[in-house]
Amino acid sequence: MKKLVVGILAHVDAGKTTLSEGLLYLTGQIRTLGRVDHQNAYLDTFALERDRGITIFSKQAELTWRDMELTLVDTPGHVDFSSEMERTLQILDYAILVISASAGVQGHTRTLWKLLKTYNIPVFLFVNKMDLAQDKQHVMDEIHSLLSEHGIDFSVGVEKKAWMEAIAETDEAALDKYLEQGEVPEETIKNLIADRTIYPCFFGSALKLEGIEELLDGMLRYTADITYDDRFAAKIYKITRDEQGMRLTHLKITGGSLQVKDMIRHEFPDQSIDEKVDQIRIYSGSRFEAKQKVAAGTLCAVTGLMSSYPGEGLGEEEDSEVPLLAPVLSYQVLHPQTIDVVKVLAMLRQLEEEDPQLHIIWREDSKEIQIQLMGEVQLEVIQSLVKDRFHFDVSFGPGSIVYKETIASTVEGVGHFEPLRHYAEVHLLLEPGESGSGLVFELKCSTDDLDKNWQRLVLTHLEEKIHKGVLTGSPITDIKITLISGRAHIKHTEGGDFREATYRAVRHGLKMAESILLEPYYSFWLEVPQSMVGKALADLQQRQAVMEPWETVGGMAVLRGTAPVALMREYGREVVTYTRGQGRYQCEAGGYQPCHNAEEVIAEIGYDSERDMQNPTGSVFCSHGTGFTVPWEQVRNYMHLEGAKLPESSYQRMAYSETAAFPGQEERTGELAEKNRMPVRKSADKSLESSNYQGMTKELEAIFERTYGKIDTDRRNKYETKQFSMERQKTVQEKKPVVISKQELEKKDYLLVDGYNIIFSWDELNDIAKSNLDAARMRLMDILCNYQGVKQCILILVFDAYKVKGNPGDMSDYHNIHVVYTKEAETADMYIEKVTHEIGKKHRVTVATSDALEQMIIMGQGAVRYSALDLKQEIDRMNAEIREQYLECQRTGRDFPFKELMKDM
């Protein structure tokens, strides 16, 4: 009989648990069909799950369908519990990805799709809630555009020839067989699904039990048999405790078999631990069946293992890699004063053991417990677990962001520990790693310099500690640390000496390097009515968001991008408020990027690396029988081994371009205090300018280059050809060189216009923008050309292009006005503020915008402000005056000076 472990995954509220109930009901495992809204779902065993109507912990259920045994694993759909879901992926044979027909492919659905690809899990798609949205083709179009072009409709009723052709087109071998035999063999289809070449799609309504039997038949027919090795192997995916407090290790047997009383060996860097299996349980919901022996392919829980941990491989199975998702928020744990803090810490350690992405941290300096987690919903779960299991209440202090640090350049760190009768010296090479790579350790030290056993000990000390950065004391990440040299003493060296030398070498390297403060980012998805897209863009702009080009779907504007967690935590509530419930906002962990306000954060945290006695930066040397401490900046003058040959710039406080270490991320220009040793970010040669730039006079050229950096014409042209729309390309081709004469610069009046703010504030332009934003831009440009022709001011029109990835920025002439497209991550506000600051000292500057914050800033710099309404009324008055002059000239026979303007009026 075919035996499979199948996980059900979905965005929250897609109907995942309802589908699980339907599968259990139709296979006879339950007699009554439970419902999430009735709080009686079979797999929602935790009280809080029933109260909130969401899945928090993954659970399994055993079911049989004809000749197929399925272990069904229901996983959490809420983004705050993504780590629980991700651990489950490691033990799945197949996955069912549930998509709501009424909501379509949502933000978290795409994240799940990426994770399924990362873990190489074959996928069956089930489009649920078809009773609420009958447009099957619309959902298939979304699957093809957002997930994979190889999603294929496997439902009954599909025309066989078209179905076979769709499968054959995905693979050359399948196409050859189709051409030879007139069909694709069933075995070939199984292999295509198992290899993730095609993705079968089924449709139905789980609540009405429609389409579920068809899904089961499809899985029975088109899933491959899983083969296992005879040697014992198992993968541990989670730790829990039962109602009696007994520790349960949940694992999948991936080879051989396991029986009660078998000995299990846990391999650790410094020791091996053997433990005996006391009991084997097969869970189905909250009930379990005890077994004496289980075969490969079985999901079970065992008792008796006290040293196991999630991700551990047993027998022939390798340990799992670190999960892709990590906590981003930190809270202080507030507990009753009647309970000793040491006991509270021990209790919370149990919860940390069960969820590795829940980090419990003891702050020795403040004598407090910190808890790090994915999202605020988890706080309620922690409170409930502590109350149920340990019988006391906890609360949490104000939340803060979990920052991290990395480095910008390759440096050598030296650690020396030589008090009397001790000796160890370690040389480490610290290199910037790729974003998201974490800490990578390597040995490249000759055994002539340091014996292998000492090298392994250094590696152990590197791995055992959470190394703190020197800016804020946050953990370091995205660094490759290599042991390149070291020395021990044949008589005086002890194991603890290399611990001290290794820790000091890391700290010394961090002090030598230019450190970068990182903050967590959310990947967000926002849907708002088109009439509110201006508000949404302004909000996201203020929150430092980097967005993809926004789309229009069924009268709604869809915006996607990334933004700092610190600025987006409460935004979901704001969306509900200003859209009156019409908008939808979703976010998920989007990794770490350079901090948008590093100086402010560093100053607020106030960490001093030189006063951190637990993590010293200097080294200890010995002279005349007495040990003495050498500050980090002088260690290289005292070290006993020759240092690595690195460029001299590696030992200086260098300028750093973020794009060098974080490809695709925006640059931010800023100067940071020398005492904090943050890099001065230079944007030279990283921002791009127009090929028509050379005619600009020195004053505006200097402003533009200070904002965007030096000109790189080739890269700019390459980008523009690839990224801009056809209409925008045509406009670029028709540009003339920008020439601003000395006489023009001597004029007193400048008008800076925030383009998109005006477009979305004027009804005429807003209506045009709903169907064609390019047309709205061109119309505004024409209106302002006419206005400048009468007023004879220097008019600079600024458009946000920060949401276009890779956009280099652009400044050019359109007839008699100057048009600026800001680069990626640069907003119109930022550009206008800079130009106002520069030219406001010598000229009269007016800024047209309805952004209240921007108005306050520019007024503070001495500029005059126009609201969008003021500018509209001013232009209307000007047009009325021109019409009157025109009529007067016609009556009197005089020449009219603005004939060209009348063509557009």
Side-chain angles (χ1 to χ4, degrees):
M1 182 178 283
K2 184 182 296 184
K3 186 178 181 67
L4 299 174
V5 177
V6 178
I8 300 188
L9 302 90
H11 185 96
V12 66
D13 293 333
K16 171 179 54 60
T17 301
T18 305
L19 177 59
S20 300
E21 290 290 311
L23 290 167
L24 291 167
Y25 182 77
L26 290 177
T27 55
Q29 300 305 305
I30 57 177
R31 295 181 179 180
T32 305
L33 192 63
R35 288 182 54 162
V36 174
D37 52 348
H38 292 172
Q39 299 186 1
N40 62 349
Y42 180 75
L43 291 177
D44 283 346
T45 57
F46 185 43
L48 193 60
E49 292 178 313
R50 292 175 174 166
D51 292 341
R52 295 188 63 104
I54 59 174
T55 300
I56 297 174
F57 303 107
S58 60
K59 272 89 60 178
Q60 72 182 71
E62 301 295 316
L63 54 91
T64 302
W65 182 253
R66 296 173 185 164
D67 293 328
M68 178 174 62
E69 290 183 1
L70 288 182
T71 298
L72 192 67
V73 184
D74 189 15
T75 65
H78 197 285
V79 65
D80 281 8
F81 309 107
S82 296
S83 59
E84 174 84 6
M85 174 274 302
E86 188 178 352
R87 289 197 305 277
T88 305
L89 295 181
Q90 304 171 28
I91 48 89
L92 299 182
D93 299 321
Y94 285 84
I96 300 172
L97 181 61
V98 184
I99 298 173
S100 170
S102 57
V105 177
Q106 298 170 274
H108 192 50
T109 311
R110 299 172 73 180
T111 300
L112 294 173
W113 187 260
K114 293 175 184 176
L115 288 171
L116 289 166
K117 180 180 180 181
T118 299
Y119 290 99
N120 198 33
I121 299 171
V123 182
F124 285 73
L125 291 101
F126 183 78
V127 181
N128 192 25
K129 303 184 181 181
M130 286 300 294
D131 54 327
L132 302 179
Q134 298 294 332
D135 190 357
K136 178 191 293 189
Q137 189 56 48
H138 175 73
V139 181
M140 287 301 298
D141 290 342
E142 280 202 358
I143 290 172
H144 291 157
S145 62
L146 300 177
L147 300 183
S148 171
E149 294 180 352
H150 293 172
I152 297 175
D153 188 353
F154 269 56
S155 56
V156 174
V158 177
E159 200 268 317
K160 185 175 181 180
K161 182 179 179 182
W163 177 68
M164 281 289 180
E165 288 178 354
I167 294 174
E169 288 173 357
T170 64
D171 181 76
E172 289 188 12
L175 181 60
D176 291 341
K177 291 181 179 179
Y178 176 71
L179 295 175
E180 293 172 4
Q181 305 174 17
E183 65 178 12
V184 181
E186 189 172 296
E187 195 63 30
T188 300
I189 297 175
K190 288 183 181 181
N191 293 334
L192 291 174
I193 295 172
D195 294 339
R196 290 180 51 87
T197 302
I198 64 173
Y199 308 95
C201 300
F202 295 86
F203 298 80
S205 170
L207 188 62
K208 296 183 177 181
L209 300 179
E210 296 173 357
I212 299 180
E213 289 191 22
E214 196 175 331
L215 172 65
L216 285 168
D217 288 338
M219 296 194 71
L220 174 63
R221 184 174 182 181
Y222 296 114
T223 52
D225 292 318
I226 310 297
T227 58
Y228 297 97
D229 198 283
D230 292 335
R231 295 173 295 178
F232 172 72
K235 174 72 71 179
I236 298 172
Y237 68 97
K238 71 173 183 176
I239 305 295
T240 64
R241 282 172 172 78
D242 64 12
E243 295 178 354
Q244 287 71 44
M246 188 172 293
R247 191 178 192 269
L248 302 176
T249 299
H250 296 260
L251 49 85
K252 179 186 180 182
I253 311 299
T254 57
S257 62
L258 178 69
Q259 61 185 11
V260 175
K261 304 304 180 183
D262 277 354
M263 297 300 295
I264 298 295
R265 169 160 291 189
H266 306 282
E267 297 287 354
F268 296 98
D270 55 347
Q271 63 176 329
S272 297
I273 299 176
D274 293 328
E275 295 179 319
K276 183 171 62 178
V277 174
D278 292 335
Q279 188 181 36
I280 300 175
R281 302 177 180 180
I282 305 294
Y283 272 88
S284 188
S286 58
R287 299 192 300 267
F288 69 87
E289 180 183 357
K291 295 282 188 178
Q292 283 297 115
K293 183 177 181 179
V294 288
T298 303
L299 221 60
C300 62
V302 303
T303 64
L305 305 185
M306 306 306 294
S307 303
S308 56
Y309 57 90
E312 181 184 6
L314 303 177
E316 298 298 315
E317 187 71 48
E318 296 290 334
D319 289 353
S320 299
E321 295 182 0
V322 176
L324 302 177
L325 302 172
V328 297
L329 301 176
S330 179
Y331 295 84
Q332 179 187 356
V333 178
L334 305 176
H335 61 87
Q337 295 299 314
T338 55
I339 304 177
D340 183 60
V341 66
V342 176
K343 293 182 179 179
V344 175
L345 183 61
M347 294 171 183
L348 293 177
R349 291 289 186 205
Q350 287 190 21
L351 303 183
E352 180 183 37
E353 183 183 56
E354 297 170 15
D355 184 357
Q357 266 57 62
L358 180 68
H359 293 178
I360 306 298
I361 298 173
W362 170 249
R363 294 287 301 272
E364 182 64 35
D365 53 349
S366 56
K367 305 296 182 183
E368 66 182 34
I369 302 173
Q370 295 278 339
I371 185 170
Q372 296 179 356
L373 32 72
M374 292 288 294
E376 296 177 357
V377 177
Q378 280 183 283
L379 295 177
E380 186 177 350
V381 176
I382 299 300
Q383 286 177 316
S384 180
L385 286 172
V386 170
K387 180 70 173 177
D388 292 346
R389 189 180 298 181
F390 307 121
H391 311 296
F392 67 89
D393 294 315
V394 294
S395 57
F396 303 95
S400 60
I401 300 300
V402 179
Y403 293 97
K404 295 186 179 182
E405 298 180 28
T406 190
I407 60 174
S409 55
T410 299
V411 295
E412 180 185 27
V414 179
H416 190 97
F417 187 70
E418 191 190 358
L420 186 62
R421 297 188 179 89
H422 293 268
Y423 186 93
E425 181 163 305
V426 172
H427 289 232
L428 301 175
L429 187 69
L430 279 66
E431 303 171 88
E434 294 184 3
S435 180
S437 62
L439 293 180
V440 179
F441 305 111
E442 188 175 347
L443 300 176
K444 284 189 177 178
C445 178
S446 171
T447 52
D448 294 337
D449 296 331
L450 191 64
D451 287 344
K452 204 66 178 179
N453 62 317
W454 293 125
Q455 294 188 34
R456 287 193 292 267
L457 185 59
V458 170
L459 189 61
T460 298
H461 293 322
L462 286 172
E463 294 174 340
E464 72 187 2
K465 181 181 173 66
I466 297 177
H467 300 280
K468 297 171 67 173
V470 295
L471 298 176
T472 61
S474 301
I476 60 173
T477 188
D478 300 340
I479 302 176
K480 181 181 179 182
I481 303 179
T482 305
L483 174 64
I484 55 175
S485 184
R487 177 178 289 178
H489 192 280
I490 192 170
K491 179 180 179 181
H492 296 308
T493 298
E494 298 178 359
D497 299 345
F498 272 101
R499 175 183 287 108
E500 288 289 336
T502 301
Y503 292 173
R504 292 167 190 267
V506 173
R507 295 288 282 177
H508 177 256
L510 294 175
K511 294 291 285 188
M512 295 291 291
E514 291 296 344
S515 292
I516 310 299
L517 185 64
L518 305 177
E519 67 176 334
Y521 269 59
Y522 278 147
S523 293
F524 66 83
W525 178 92
L526 176 63
E527 183 181 83
V528 296
Q530 286 193 43
S531 60
M532 299 178 181
V533 71
K535 163 68 173 171
L537 286 171
D539 285 349
L540 296 172
Q541 168 186 314
Q542 292 178 358
R543 288 168 170 79
Q544 305 291 321
V546 177
M547 292 187 292
E548 302 172 7
W550 56 279
E551 307 167 355
T552 302
V553 180
M556 302 290 282
V558 179
L559 301 92
R560 297 184 179 90
T562 60
V565 170
L567 302 179
M568 297 293 284
R569 289 171 59 186
E570 303 295 330
Y571 188 55
R573 298 173 187 172
E574 292 186 30
V575 171
V576 173
T577 301
Y578 77 73
T579 64
R580 296 179 176 87
Q582 299 179 67
R584 291 190 297 167
Y585 169 76
Q586 299 156 8
C587 65
E588 58 205 25
Y592 276 76
Q593 297 180 23
C595 184
H596 75 282
N597 61 336
E599 289 183 72
E600 181 182 336
V601 172
I602 292 170
E604 181 179 349
I605 294 176
Y607 176 74
D608 188 343
S609 60
E610 297 306 306
R611 294 187 178 182
D612 187 349
M613 297 297 100
Q614 302 297 319
N615 299 277
T617 59
S619 288
V620 178
F621 290 82
C622 186
S623 178
H624 304 292
T626 303
F628 64 97
T629 301
V630 175
W632 69 269
E633 63 269 22
Q634 299 178 27
V635 167
R636 296 185 62 82
N637 298 329
Y638 286 81
M639 62 187 186
H640 294 179
L641 295 172
E642 183 179 355
K645 292 180 172 58
L646 298 176
E648 186 62 28
S649 60
S650 296
Y651 305 108
Q652 301 171 355
R653 295 190 168 94
M654 300 165 294
Y656 171 63
S657 172
E658 292 172 357
T659 53
F662 299 91
Q665 300 303 330
E666 68 278 14
E667 295 176 294
R668 300 184 176 93
T669 303
E671 296 177 356
L672 301 163
E674 174 66 20
K675 65 178 181 180
N676 290 323
R677 296 179 39 264
M678 280 290 286
V680 178
R681 275 87 179 226
K682 293 183 179 179
S683 57
D685 298 323
K686 299 299 180 185
S687 300
L688 313 177
E689 226 296 87
S690 170
S691 59
N692 297 318
Y693 193 82
Q694 57 265 38
M696 294 181 66
T697 53
K698 292 183 178 180
E699 182 166 357
L700 284 187
E701 180 179 8
I703 295 171
F704 195 84
E705 289 192 354
R706 279 195 293 273
T707 305
Y708 293 117
K710 295 292 184 182
I711 306 166
D712 188 337
T713 303
D714 293 338
R715 288 182 61 195
R716 180 263 179 189
N717 288 339
K718 179 179 179 182
Y719 161 80
E720 185 170 56
T721 302
K722 180 178 179 182
Q723 295 288 343
F724 280 17
S725 66
M726 293 302 295
E727 183 172 350
R728 176 78 184 118
Q729 289 183 38
K730 182 178 179 181
T731 303
V732 172
Q733 292 167 1
E734 294 174 351
K735 291 176 188 171
K736 297 178 182 178
V738 179
V739 179
I740 302 178
S741 66
K742 181 178 179 182
Q743 291 78 14
E744 187 178 20
L745 282 171
E746 292 173 351
K747 293 181 180 178
K748 299 297 183 182
D749 294 331
Y750 278 73
L751 175 61
L752 280 71
V753 180
D754 187 339
Y756 286 126
N757 187 281
I758 300 299
I759 286 175
F760 292 112
S761 297
W762 291 4
D763 292 340
E764 172 197 357
L765 299 180
N766 195 14
D767 290 340
I768 298 173
K770 290 177 182 177
S771 57
N772 191 326
L773 188 58
D774 281 341
R777 280 198 298 262
M778 298 303 294
R779 177 60 182 152
L780 177 61
M781 290 158 68
D782 289 335
I783 291 172
L784 294 180
C785 282
N786 291 345
Y787 181 79
Q788 194 280 337
V790 175
K791 294 297 184 180
Q792 295 299 300
C793 60
I794 299 177
L795 197 152
I796 303 174
L797 175 59
V798 185
F799 288 112
D800 282 317
Y802 71 97
K803 64 179 179 293
V804 181
K805 285 198 171 184
N807 179 34
D810 172 48
M811 183 174 183
S812 59
D813 268 0
Y814 180 78
H815 300 306
N816 54 335
I817 68 173
H818 311 300
V819 182
V820 172
Y821 290 85
T822 64
K823 68 170 185 173
E824 179 188 6
E826 289 283 354
T827 66
D829 291 352
M830 296 167 64
Y831 182 86
I832 289 172
E833 289 168 22
K834 188 169 186 67
V835 173
T836 300
H837 178 73
E838 293 287 341
I839 64 179
K841 302 172 184 176
K842 296 183 289 184
H843 304 286
R844 184 174 182 273
V845 180
T846 301
V847 177
T849 178
S850 286
D851 187 316
L853 179 61
E854 181 67 10
Q855 289 177 352
M856 292 176 60
I857 293 173
I858 59 102
M859 290 176 68
Q861 295 178 347
V864 178
R865 61 100 174 174
Y866 270 176
S867 68
L869 179 60
D870 292 337
L871 181 61
K872 184 72 167 62
Q873 292 174 345
E874 170 71 9
I875 291 174
D876 288 344
R877 283 195 298 269
M878 181 198 74
N879 290 339
E881 292 173 4
I882 290 173
R883 290 190 188 95
E884 290 179 6
Q885 291 183 38
Y886 178 72
L887 294 174
E888 180 65 23
C889 288
Q890 281 190 323
R891 286 195 298 270
T892 60
R894 289 186 288 110
D895 288 334
F896 181 65
F898 304 113
K899 290 181 181 179
E900 291 298 319
L901 270 63
M902 292 303 299
K903 297 178 182 179
D904 296 324
M905 298 176 58

